[in-house]
């Protein structure tokens, strides 16, 4: 396969309702889609950066810049023609994993489409559908939260994740437990909002039988998470900290994480995501697939990844309408709390041309030959 170049396309997608986390509120997604154009086929990638470096050090304008200035020229210079060589060719550039992961995803999609194989088959899928969890943002009031959670449970979501921050933690969790009962699979995500000094406060969450507490402390604080795990009985699950199979191995070894949230963009792509899945499985550590409010492009690949055998907990893998009234692909629709795993070549889905045109805010062609 000869790669001719990459189309970098920005699309604007309004959210159906504001999504508030401990680091900010989003009302729309400005998504960078990457199309790898090769002689054999074209493939799509989605870059999961946010506009600001507030979830990770990466941000969308930075991703565009590093792709144009360094990553795509390096792929061209190395004559990269398949997905496994992408990470190798880009290794000399530090970090920028979301940008690298988007390029690798686009090349992988092109390669698989050319060969008629699906992401699911390529990654090692063992299920034809995956259970859906939903991530519920911080709200202005508890009644508002209970309405939102009730709506998601009625829709069929099998697991609820509540975003928390200091001042919005114990009481919202207590209220959800009281209203919806002990059988609801429930977990929380702090997006680094606490310090080790909050250990006793966080231990109060132990009373609510949560599946896990996600990323309570700063991303670099491995030792802090290991210490916290000795005070808090609820399993700790790292998200932001886990940027590679290497950091996953360190976190497991130190006792800093008992469960892992795997987000392909955060770790540099789907191939590294699979390595983390394999590593975790070898250590008996359960994993689940995280989400970055993806369009149908990223969602398709996440659903495929979530169907690997080690993904034993429901992920932040929701239906398109959790975030978007109109998705760029045919929408992912939940049936009985599950999404079907796409089985067609590559991602198994493609952008709908008219919708893509309508939501595109810019397109740039970057030759790779
Ligand atoms: O895609 O369902 C989704 C969002 C899941 O809560 C979610 N992601 O830290 O896990 C996380 C957050 C990051 C969101 S940044 C937009
Ligand atoms: Mg998280």
């Amino acid at each position: 396969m000869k790669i001719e170049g990459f189309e970098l396309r920005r699309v604007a997608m309004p959210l159906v309702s504001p999504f508030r986390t401990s680091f900010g509120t989003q009302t729309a997604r400005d998504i960078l889609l990457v199309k790898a154009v090769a002689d054999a086929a074209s493939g799509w990638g989605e870059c999961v950066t946010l506009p600001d470096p507030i979830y990770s050090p990466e941000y969308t304008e930075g991703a565009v810049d590093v792709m144009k200035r360094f990553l795509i020229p390096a792929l061209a210079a190395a004559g990269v023609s398949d997905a496994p060589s992408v990470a190798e060719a880009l290794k000399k550039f530090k970090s920028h994993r979301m940008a690298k992961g988007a390029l690798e995803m686009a090349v992988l999609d092109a390669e698989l489409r050319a060969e008629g194989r699906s992401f699911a088959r390529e990654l090692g899928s063992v299920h034809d559908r995956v259970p859906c969890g939903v991530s519920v943002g911080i709200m202005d009031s508890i009644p508002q939260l209970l309405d939102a959670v009730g709506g998601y449970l009625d829709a069929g979501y099998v697991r609820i994740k509540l975003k928390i921050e200091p001042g919005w933690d114990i009481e919202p969790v207590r209220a959800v437990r009281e209203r919806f009962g002990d059988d609801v699979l429930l977990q929380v995500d702090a997006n680094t909002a606490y310090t080790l000094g909050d250990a006793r406060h966080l231990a109060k969450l132990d009373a609510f039988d949560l599946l896990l507490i996600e990323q309570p402390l700063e991303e670099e604080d491995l030792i802090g998470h290991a210490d916290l795990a000795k005070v808090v009985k609820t399993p700790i699950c790292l998200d932001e900290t886990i940027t590679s199979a290497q950091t996953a191995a360190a976190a497991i070894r130190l006792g800093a994480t008992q469960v892992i949230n795997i987000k392909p963009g955060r770790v540099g792509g789907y191939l590294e995501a699979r390595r983390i899945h394999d590593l975790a499985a070898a250590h008996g550590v359960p994993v689940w697939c995280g989400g970055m409010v993806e369009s149908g492009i990223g969602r398709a690949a996440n659903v495929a990844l979530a169907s690997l055998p080690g993904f034993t907990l429901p992920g932040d893998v929701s239906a398109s309408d959790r975030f978007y009234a109109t998705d760029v692909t045919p929408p992912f629709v939940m049936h009985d709390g599950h999404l079907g795993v796409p089985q067609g070549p590559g991602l198994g889905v493609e952008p709908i041309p008219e919708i893509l045109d309508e939501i595109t805010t810019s397109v740039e062609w970057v030759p790779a030959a």
Side-chain angles (χ1 to χ4, degrees), residues 49-50 52-54 56-60 63 95-100 265:
T49 47
L50 301 182
D52 305 332
I54 48 176
S56 102
E58 293 188 74
Y59 62 102
T60 307
S95 194
H96 292 286
R97 291 179 173 90
M98 293 176 178
K100 292 174 178 175

Side-chain angles (χ1 to χ4, degrees), residues 26 135 161 163 189 191 214 239 263 291-293 316 323:
Q26 294 176 275
S135 175
K161 159 167 139 181
K163 290 291 193 178
D189 184 3
N191 288 109
E214 186 177 343
D239 171 358
K263 283 182 188 163
M292 289 297 288
V293 192
D316 284 341
F323 290 113

Side-chain angles (χ1 to χ4, degrees), residues 324-349:
Y324 303 113
T326 308
D327 207 336
V328 62
T329 59
F332 281 83
V333 177
M334 193 164 60
H335 297 288
D336 192 21
H338 290 69
L339 292 182
V341 178
Q343 303 293 344
L347 294 170
V349 299

Side-chain angles (χ1 to χ4, degrees), residues 195-272:
T195 69
L196 193 54
D198 298 312
R200 295 206 169 279
H201 177 71
L202 290 170
K204 293 182 193 155
L205 290 170
D206 288 342
F208 303 106
D209 191 27
L210 302 179
L211 289 169
L212 54 92
I213 304 178
E214 186 177 343
Q215 198 72 42
L217 314 180
E218 276 180 11
E219 51 268 51
E220 292 181 6
D221 197 2
L222 276 173
I223 302 292
H225 282 103
D227 288 348
L228 182 65
K230 293 181 192 129
V231 181
V232 173
K233 289 202 187 65
T234 307
I236 306 289
C237 170
L238 293 180
D239 171 358
E240 284 90 330
T241 300
I242 308 297
T243 53
S244 62
Q246 193 174 43
T247 51
I252 293 170
R253 167 86 166 268
L254 287 170
T257 202
Q258 284 77 56
V259 180
I260 294 178
N261 168 336
I262 300 186
K263 283 182 188 163
R266 197 192 61 225
V267 305
Y270 286 84
L271 302 182
E272 185 74 357

